[in-house]
Amino acid sequence: MSNTASATDARTPPVAVWQILEKLRGQDLVDWRVAPLDERPSPAERGLDIGFPYGWYALEQADFVTIGQVKPLRYFAQDLAIWRGEDGRVRVTDAWCKHLGAHLGHGGKVHGNLLECPFHAWRYDGEEGVVKDIPYAKAIPPQVKRKCLRTWPVTEANGWIWVWYHPDQTVAPLWDVVVHEEYGDPAWTDYAMHEWIVYGSIQNMAENGVDVAHFKYIHGTADVPKAELRWGEWGRGADVRAQMGTPTGVVDGLISYDTMGPGQSWVRFRGISETLLVASLVPIEEDVLRVRYGFVQPKAQAEGPDAGLARALVRDICKQLDQDKVIWDRMRYEPNPIICDGDGPIPQFRQWYSRYYAVSAAAQP
Ligand code: FES
Ligand SMILES: [Fe+2]
């Protein structure tokens, strides 16, 4: 999780990146967040050709595919097809039909729980990855009677459709998606969503949280926030206690962020305004990352007299991602960084994060 600690003070003087951001208001800012970034160096030149870390990723919100719908997807530098069968379950497979290579997600049809190719109607089972039916043939070729199409482990939680990514498709999920009780609680709002495209890697984004020195120079916090870091087997987190400036005075705030794998992270804010931020971070290409932030808040607070404060907190968190994006879009992954004594535990973070790479050459300092 990035930059959460700097949510503590939004009213410090402008810092370097504001030269870019201060001109952007309203729709211009929303457009800038997802705009193409042309003429960038290749992923190899920027040290981003290190593969994707494995884990569960929240690809889309649950209503992205309704029963009987099929859609194309592109994540992890691959074309995929996603559909929801009559039984209500979502399937995700590789996109290309084994027959003559049509894209199953463009014009395919859901047939019961099977996905029918748009070209010649071969019907695939999305769990087994086999062809179950060819309406115009007497016999199904043996090569497609056994597993021939990659199927991705799928689960639904927190209003999102998750897939398990691992470069070795035989590796089953190593942990479960963490369920948040606030989501779906009638006393809490539904997600307020915000979206960015970051032209960088998910690891660079994750490193931001332990890069304590940047909070001052990028986010304009007065002091380096003090964080108690937690390092688990597959997840890590931090509790940041901070004095938060509000229009009515300073309050004690607590920001807790947690991750489970590279693709699941969430942040709980307590103090000014209770908020749960659920982040979806999914690589599209080696140097393109789709980032969505969903915020839920207690209705009593989001719709009550303190609604302004609740909205201001969300705005401030989004602003910090804007500030980091200016750097992330252009930075290179420096595999051998020179670290000074004021830096946070960046080498420790990289050592720890290297567990998510099947071939772990990339992450060492
Ligand atoms: S290409 Fe898919 S059925 Fe022919
Ligand atoms: Fe940051």
Side-chain angles (χ1 to χ4, degrees), residues 2-4 6 208-209 211 214-215 218-219 320-321 323-324 328:
S2 73
N3 63 40
T4 51
S6 53
N208 205 251
D211 173 3
H214 93 287
F215 286 105
I218 293 300
H219 304 305
Q320 285 154 52
L321 202 141
Q323 294 167 337
D324 283 316
W328 290 333

Side-chain angles (χ1 to χ4, degrees), residues 52-57 76 78 150-153 163-175 234 355-359:
F52 304 114
Y54 59 75
W56 286 104
Y57 288 89
F76 312 107
Q78 298 176 56
R150 179 172 187 174
T151 58
W152 295 64
V163 302
W164 170 258
Y165 167 82
H166 195 290
D168 177 351
Q169 58 178 292
T170 66
V171 177
L174 294 165
W175 62 84
W234 293 116
R355 71 196 55 209
Y356 298 134
Y357 293 95
V359 180

Side-chain angles (χ1 to χ4, degrees), residues 338-357:
I338 315 291
I339 299 292
C340 73
D341 60 10
D343 284 323
I346 291 170
Q348 187 190 357
F349 164 82
R350 291 190 177 187
Q351 171 70 41
W352 186 89
Y353 198 90
S354 68
R355 71 196 55 209
Y356 298 134
Y357 293 95

Side-chain angles (χ1 to χ4, degrees), residues 22-87:
E22 71 187 344
K23 301 182 197 82
L24 296 169
R25 292 276 180 280
Q27 192 59 39
D28 285 346
L29 179 62
V30 172
D31 292 346
W32 171 83
R33 288 174 174 170
V34 295
L37 187 72
D38 298 330
E39 296 176 10
R40 52 187 201 276
S42 70
E45 221 176 318
R46 295 173 68 203
L48 301 176
D49 55 338
I50 58 177
F52 304 114
Y54 59 75
W56 286 104
Y57 288 89
L59 297 194
E60 301 293 344
Q61 290 187 263
D63 61 2
F64 181 75
V65 276
T66 54
I67 286 178
Q69 258 189 332
V70 53
K71 289 187 177 175
L73 286 179
R74 185 167 175 88
Y75 288 116
F76 312 107
Q78 298 176 56
D79 270 29
L80 307 170
I82 182 171
W83 74 96
R84 195 183 285 276
E86 264 168 19
D87 61 0

Side-chain angles (χ1 to χ4, degrees), residues 19 33 137 173 194 203 224 228 284 301-302 326 361:
Q19 291 165 6
R33 288 174 174 170
H194 301 266
Q203 180 176 333
V224 170
E228 287 164 43
I284 299 175
Q301 167 196 303
V326 173

